[in-house]
Amino acid sequence: MPTRRAGLSTQCVHAGEARQKDSGSIATPIYTAATFTFESTDDLLRFVNGEDQREEYGRYGNPNERSVEAKIAALEKCEEAIVYGSGMSALVGLLMTKLSAGDEIVFFDQCYHRSREFCAKHLSRFGVVTRQVTTGDYDAMEAAINRNTKMLVSESPTNPHLSVIDLEKFAAVGKANEVETLIDATLATPYNMNPTEYGVDYVLHSATKYLGGHNDLLAGVLCGRSEQLEAVRSMRGILGNISSPHNLYLLERGLKTFELRMQRQNENGLRIAEFLESHPRVERVYYPGLKSHPTHAIAAAQMRGFGGLITFTIRDADWKQTANIVDAARIPRIAPSLGGVESLIEQPLVMSYFHCTPEDRVRFGIDDNMIRMSCGIENGDDLIADLEQALSV
């Protein structure tokens, strides 16, 4: 009989999992084994020859890991996913596999500051050159490519300005120059966007954020075609950038409610962005779901929703006046990160860029009067009322 593709929540609950698990458990058991035994030499030889798909040693694989990877690959509509101990370790794992001394990468300049730091400060020690160009300038990106260029890298949406990349143009630049492409889609999530559908080679997520969704784990994931990821998985086995079985259990449990959480966070994000844009104390709102955002047309064309992260600036406020508003918020907690069920709020100047020079903050677009809020799954009316009182201080 003809079959239909399962809906997203059905995949969130069931993809990657055996229907009947050990001892009849409905949840995937937590496999804390560091090593896995073989009944006989013949049993071992079947594994070595690739006849049996099973585990050997915890650094190379774990049943919890395989289940989570298959689930995320289904959500991202990719052949394969590789789970890491964090989003940064996923980025490092890919670049350490794909790049050698003398190679170059090209980055759009709106990006997570630790990604920039790793590439510009640490990869350079190994002879890899990082070139940054203005976000969304595809001509500048193409002009920066030379015979040594091996990868184009961007986030979409970007952090914290939430610029959305035209994925078709981005992928086309890579293909025309025979250069691989990577999109960090952490802020979009597989609910709102699937970059490989536009020709992007690799998709990266900090699973700490929306995929885990409860601010209680660290994990990262890299998705793509199996052939391209084979060497990456092998390198991960060498570097040991793995996630623990307990972390993987939490990630799998979080993924089961992923679609439901994203529906509320998309809804809260748009409602609160519209509220902030209409508020007299707010100078500017960065949110791709607003028509005022410079990349709204791109977002509307290629995203199914716009997420729960909002960045905004306070009119005629210095850093201290801005901090007073952050302190006055009662529902969001002051913290880094995003994507969890609890709303979080922060002032990027203080939280992430405090030790940067004023010149670098200007270069990175980090204003003294900037606030970043990650909307959780609380009731939108409550979040709006809380922001209303905080903005009145």
Side-chain angles (χ1 to χ4, degrees), residues 322-340:
T322 304
N324 289 340
I325 292 172
V326 171
D327 290 343
R330 299 270 61 90
I331 295 178
R333 320 285 181 85
I334 300 175
S337 199
L338 58 107

Side-chain angles (χ1 to χ4, degrees), residues 274-283 315 387-388 391:
E274 290 172 341
F275 159 76
L276 289 168
E277 190 172 50
S278 68
H279 198 284
R281 285 208 69 188
V282 175
E283 177 182 59
R315 192 181 306 278
L387 284 171
E388 182 74 77
L391 288 164

